[in-house]
Amino acid sequence: MNLLARSTDYAVRAILFMAQDPDQVTSTAELESELGLPRPFMRKTLQTLQKSGYLDSVKGNKGGFTLNRLPSAIRVFDLMTIFQGHISLGECLFKKELCSCVKSCPLRKEVKKMELGLLERLKKLTIADLMKDQKAGI
Amino acid sequence: MNLLARSTDYAVRAILFMAQDPDQVTSTAELESELGLPRPFMRKTLQTLQKSGYLDSVKGNKGGFTLNRLPSAIRVFDLMTIFQGHISLGECLFKKELCSCVKSCPLRKEVKKMELGLLERLKKLTIADLMKDQKAGI
DNA sequence: GACAAATGATACCACGATGGTATCATTAAG
DNA sequence: CTTAATGATACCATCGTGGTATCATTTGTC
Ligand code: FES
Ligand code: FES
């Protein structure tokens, strides 16, 4: 079980890279060699980010993408939502329908409580925070 | 994305039911009608619980299962581990191999921190706690 | 203008996890 | 002996996800 999908992770790393110097056009090829990620998948990911308004695109030769927002304005939580859909740990749904027995499930209630704490923290986390972490070493 | 698998949830609910009066033999059929869960799947779940040492089984006609431990000694976390394998939100693994880029992933570090808090709480949660919740109404 | 290199859009594939079913043998109560 | 249960195990269907491929379009460079 994993909280983060690869797509989300790739997106974060691409954005982190581009945030190093914004306004510069970065191509998929560049990201591939720089981060070692599979090109076609990266491409799809970037296209999604563009459609969602996080990146501007430059078509044609020497084209690529540029970052559209301030790192502090990009919440990891939002990226997760884009790539993984609605984030919820405690909604027992199956085939897109809510489980009929939610009401008699004390476990759900507890998990919901924990979820709340987690989401609180996730929603506060931005790309800017990650950049700080990066600079701090590791 | 879901923290709890259905199998875990079913297991918890079955155990909760049996904990109401322990020492009584409960059959799959009973659980099916009582909780409205699909019988064959329930069966599989109970067998797993028996193999893991949480239930004793009585074979033959009028057979079934009996609870083997005190509710306070059954951690939800352990049940999750049984039915869903190793619980971890922040280990980016794929095809059972760790992602090569973990070290350059500041995101992982943050998620790991959040995971810690969540697991702390999960490990503290026992069936006995859920029984208390249940009695308290909802 | 031709070519190369990029994105836009979209369809497709492969794999694994999970929910769920089915079957046959064995055991034991009535 | 029949019936109702578990033990063991194999099987199936669906879905989410990681990943690929294709074709059209755009644009800088020679
Ligand atoms: S099985 Fe869905 S809420 Fe419990
Ligand atoms: S992609 Fe695996 S750790 Fe980042």
Side-chain angles (χ1 to χ4, degrees):
Chain A
M1 100 124 281
N2 214 342
L3 186 63
L4 291 148
R6 281 210 154 193
S7 40
T8 310
D9 196 88
Y10 288 178
V12 168
R13 294 176 57 191
I15 292 180
L16 273 173
F17 179 79
M18 300 175 75
Q20 283 176 356
D21 57 331
D23 302 329
Q24 176 170 337
V25 177
T26 309
S27 72
T28 309
E30 210 170 334
L31 283 173
E32 182 194 21
S33 63
E34 205 70 40
L35 302 177
L37 311 180
R39 166 121 56 145
F41 192 39
M42 194 73 236
R43 225 167 97 70
K44 188 161 69 168
T45 306
L46 293 175
Q47 283 192 32
T48 306
L49 283 174
Q50 186 267 335
K51 275 186 206 150
S52 314
Y54 287 85
L55 302 179
D56 287 327
S57 72
V58 181
K59 289 173 80 173
N61 196 349
K62 304 266 172 185
F65 299 90
T66 59
L67 201 50
N68 200 0
R69 308 191 186 181
L70 287 174
S72 58
I74 305 178
R75 270 180 292 275
V76 171
F77 178 82
D78 293 333
L79 295 177
M80 289 178 67
T81 305
I82 289 172
F83 288 100
Q84 304 170 227
H86 180 224
I87 301 296
S88 163
L89 303 178
E91 272 173 25
C92 173
L93 27 79
F94 182 62
K95 295 191 185 181
K96 276 141 197 163
E97 288 170 28
L98 259 149
C99 176
S100 61
C101 42
V102 184
K103 56 186 181 320
S104 55
C105 236
L107 184 50
R108 293 288 154 200
K109 222 187 78 199
E110 291 295 332
V111 172
K112 262 292 184 210
K113 275 196 268 178
M114 301 186 194
E115 177 190 346
L116 226 71
L118 189 76
L119 292 189
E120 285 279 307
R121 299 181 66 176
L122 257 184
K123 281 180 187 164
K124 279 195 198 119
L125 188 67
T126 71
I127 295 290
D129 298 325
L130 297 181
M131 293 176 74
K132 248 184 280 173
D133 282 10
Q134 236 173 359
K135 274 182 196 153
I138 304 301
Chain B
M1 101 124 281
N2 213 343
L3 185 64
L4 291 150
R6 281 209 154 195
S7 39
T8 310
D9 197 88
Y10 287 179
V12 168
R13 295 175 57 193
I15 292 180
L16 273 174
F17 179 79
M18 298 174 76
Q20 284 176 357
D21 58 329
D23 303 328
Q24 175 170 339
V25 177
T26 310
S27 71
T28 310
E30 209 171 333
L31 283 173
E32 182 194 19
S33 65
E34 205 69 40
L35 302 176
L37 311 180
R39 164 123 58 145
F41 192 39
M42 195 70 237
R43 225 167 96 69
K44 187 160 69 170
T45 305
L46 293 176
Q47 283 192 32
T48 305
L49 284 174
Q50 186 266 336
K51 275 185 205 153
S52 313
Y54 288 85
L55 302 180
D56 287 326
S57 72
V58 180
K59 291 173 79 173
N61 197 350
K62 305 266 174 185
F65 299 89
T66 58
L67 200 49
N68 198 1
R69 308 190 185 182
L70 287 175
S72 57
I74 305 179
R75 271 180 290 277
V76 171
F77 178 83
D78 294 332
L79 295 177
M80 289 178 66
T81 306
I82 288 172
F83 288 99
Q84 303 170 229
H86 180 222
I87 300 297
S88 163
L89 302 177
E91 271 173 26
C92 173
L93 27 80
F94 181 62
K95 295 192 187 180
K96 278 142 198 164
E97 287 169 29
L98 258 149
C99 176
S100 61
C101 43
V102 183
K103 57 186 181 319
S104 55
C105 235
L107 184 50
R108 293 288 156 197
K109 221 188 78 199
E110 291 295 333
V111 172
K112 263 292 184 207
K113 274 197 270 179
M114 299 186 195
E115 178 190 344
L116 227 71
L118 189 76
L119 292 190
E120 285 280 305
R121 299 181 67 175
L122 257 184
K123 283 180 186 164
K124 279 196 198 117
L125 190 66
T126 70
I127 295 290
D129 298 324
L130 297 181
M131 292 176 74
K132 248 184 277 172
D133 282 11
Q134 237 175 359
K135 273 181 195 150
I138 305 295

